[in-house]
Amino acid sequence: MLWLLRNVGKAVIVAEGATELVGLDPLLICHPCSFCLFALAGSCNSCEGINESVLCLFQMRDLKAVGKKFVHVMYPRKSSALLRDWDLWGPLVLCVSLALMLQGGSADSKDDGGPQFAEVFVIIWFGAVVITLNSKLLGGTISFFQSLCVLGYCVMPLTVAMLVCRLVLLAGAGTVSFIIRLIVVGAMFAWSTLASTAFLADSQPPNRKALVVYPIFLFYFVISWMILTFTPQ
Amino acid sequence: MATADELKFQANPDATTISIDEPVEIPKNQHSHRQEPGREEDDELLGTDDSDKTELLAGQKKSAPFWTFDYYQTFFDVDTYQVLDRIKGSVFPVPGKNFVRLYIRSNPDLYGPFWICATLVFTIAVSGNLSNFFIHLGKPTYRYVPEFRKVSIAATTIYAYAWLVPLALWGFLMWRNSKVMNIVSYSFLEIVCVYGYSLFIYIPTAILWIIPQKVVRWVLVVFSLCVSGSVLVMTFWPAVRDDNRRIAVATVATVLLLHALLAVGCLAYFFDAPELDIPAPIIPAHNGTTVITKSH
C-alpha cells in the first residue's frame, strides 16, 4: 500500500510538469481493466519518459473524477457531475469488490449455496442494463451510459453495508448480529434507492416516474437480499 | 397544409358538405343503433361499442419498422395510472367484463408482463427461502443456505410460462379462426398482456405462503387460482364460444389447468412441506422391540 502511494505521489510530481507537452495515449483510455490502474501506477517507479508520466497523469485525473462521484453519491444533491461526465470505472470497481466480498459464504460445493462471482456480476450489470432500457422505452431523456453510471455508483452504500456485515459476522453470527446487519442493510438500501432516484427521476416524463422508480427499487432490493443472506463458512 | 375547412366543397347551397371527420363518426352511430338490450352483456364482453375507433387509432400508432427503437417504444406507451388500473382489474375481476376490452383497449404494453414476472420470480425465491428458514429453525442439524440456484429456476419457469403459453394459445386461436369465423380475436401481445397481469395475484399469495400451515397454503392456492383463472376465462371464452362446443370447453380447461399447474408446482418446489412436530408415539411391538412412528 505504501509502495503504491509513493509511486503515485512520484507520478503526480513528474506529471505536473509534463501536462502541456503531449497528448493522451488512446490505448490507455480504452483499457477495460480497472485493476491495471494500480499496476500501471506501480510501474511509474521508473518514470523516465514523458509517455509514462502522462499515463500516470491520466490515472490521477481519472481517480479524482471517480472520487468526486463517490462523494456525490454519499451526499446526493442535484449535481450534474454524475450525469455529465459519466464513467464506468467506479461501477466496475464497486461491482467487483461486492462480488468478491460475497464469496466464501457457505460454499459447501453444494448447489444451494450463495451466489457465485459470475452471478453477482451478471445480476448487477444485466439488471442495470434492463433498468436503463426500461427508462428509455418509457420516454426518458437520459442517455444509456449516463444511466448505467448512476446505477453503478449508487451500489456504493450497499458495498459499504457488505463490508460492515462481514466485520459484524467476524464478531459472531447470533440474533444480535443479525439485527445489526438487518438495520445496516436496510438503511443502505434506502440510501441507494433514494440516491439513484434523486439523479434519475428528473429525466422521466412526470406521469411515469413511479414506473421508472419501481424497477430501481427491485434491483437494489435483490442486491440487499444477497448481502443480508450472506452466511460465512 | 390543407385543413378540414379548405376541403369542404360548397359548389351550391343544396349540395352536401364533405368534411374529413365524418367517416370516423358513422360506425360509432351505427353500432349504437344496432345494440339491443339482450346483447348488452355480450357487447361489454366483446367491446364492440368503441373497438372500431380504437382499432383505427391503434393502426395509426404502430407504423415504425421493427428494427427501430421507436417500434418497441410503442409497447411502453402507458402511464402510471393505466398500469395501476390494469393491475386492479386483474385482482378484482368484474363478472362479465372482458379484461382485454375494458383495460387494454388496443394498447397492450410489455411493461406490466415483464416487471410483474420479475417481481414474482424474486418474491417466490425470497419467500421460499424465508419459509424454509422458519420451518427448520431450531433444529440442531440445520444450517441456513441462501438457495440462490432457485432464483434462476424460478425465472426460467415463470418467463417460459408467461411467454410460451400465450404463443401456443395465440397460434391455436389463429388456426381455429381460419376454420370458424370468430367475432373476437386477440393479437399476440394482448394475450401476453392478459397472462402477465393475471399473474399479479400470485405475488401477495407467495408472500402469504410463508405461513407454515398446509391448510392456509392450499386455501390461498384455490383463492388465487379462482381470481386469476376467472380473468383468463372471461377473456378467452368469447374467443372460442362460437367454435365447436367441445373444443371451446377443452381450450378453456387447458388454460386453467396450466395455470393451476404453475401455482401448485411453485408451491411444491420452492416451499418445503411444514412438518408437524408432534412427539412420536411409541408403539410396543409383539416381540418386545419398539417401533417409533413420525407423522409427516
Side-chain angles (χ1 to χ4, degrees), chain A:
Chain A
M1 196 65 191
L2 272 176
W3 167 82
L4 193 66
L5 286 172
R6 259 205 310 263
N7 285 313
V8 171
K10 226 195 285 181
V12 171
I13 296 167
V14 173
E16 289 297 312
T19 357
E20 55 274 32
L21 293 179
V22 294
L24 289 171
D25 187 352
L27 276 179
L28 177 61
I29 298 173
C30 304
H31 205 301
C33 180
S34 66
F35 286 138
C36 296
L37 257 180
F38 299 109
L40 285 168
S43 74
C44 280
N45 204 359
S46 52
C47 261
E48 281 142 16
I50 290 179
N51 281 337
E52 283 152 75
S53 61
V54 169
L55 294 179
C56 305
L57 165 69
F58 183 77
Q59 289 143 38
M60 273 319 294
R61 192 188 290 164
D62 236 11
L63 278 174
K64 274 194 210 161
V66 168
K68 205 161 83 159
K69 291 198 188 64
F70 279 138
V71 170
H72 276 125
V73 171
M74 293 310 284
Y75 301 106
R77 278 185 304 267
K78 291 255 185 296
S79 82
S80 56
L82 248 167
L83 292 178
R84 233 182 329 123
D85 311 319
W86 62 267
D87 76 272
L88 294 179
W89 294 105
L92 184 65
V93 168
L94 286 170
C95 179
V96 167
S97 46
L98 185 61
L100 281 176
M101 282 197 278
L102 277 168
Q103 294 310 294
S106 58
D108 287 332
S109 75
K110 267 194 331 191
D111 274 339
D112 285 345
Q116 302 296 315
F117 182 93
E119 280 173 341
V120 176
F121 215 79
V122 162
I123 282 186
I124 292 182
W125 286 103
F126 185 65
V129 166
V130 165
I131 292 176
T132 307
L133 278 178
N134 175 65
S135 79
K136 284 192 76 69
L137 284 167
L138 283 169
T141 53
I142 201 170
S143 99
F144 185 76
F145 286 107
Q146 281 173 349
S147 176
L148 277 187
C149 171
V150 170
L151 288 169
Y153 270 103
C154 290
V155 169
M156 187 179 69
L158 287 169
T159 311
V160 169
M162 182 73 224
L163 199 59
V164 170
C165 281
R166 282 214 86 146
L167 293 173
V168 168
L169 279 169
L170 280 178
T175 313
V176 173
S177 106
F178 174 73
I179 292 177
I180 297 176
R181 281 185 289 139
L182 181 66
I183 293 174
V184 168
V185 171
M188 292 301 163
F189 158 64
W191 197 336
S192 285
T193 310
L194 288 173
S196 58
T197 309
F199 288 118
L200 291 177
D202 281 342
S203 62
Q204 304 304 322
N207 46 354
R208 294 179 184 183
K209 280 205 181 10
L211 296 183
V212 171
V213 169
Y214 172 71
I216 299 177
F217 169 87
L218 186 65
F219 175 63
Y220 289 124
F221 178 80
V222 169
I223 299 179
S224 311
W225 177 255
M226 286 197 293
I227 293 175
L228 189 60
T229 59
F230 173 78
T231 45
Q233 184 70 13

Side-chain angles (χ1 to χ4, degrees), chain B residues 109-118 159 162-163 192-197:
Chain B
D109 70 301
L110 287 180
Y111 178 89
F114 184 79
W115 288 109
I116 290 176
C117 288
Y159 273 99
W163 288 84
V192 166
C193 223
V194 173
Y195 264 87
Y197 281 103

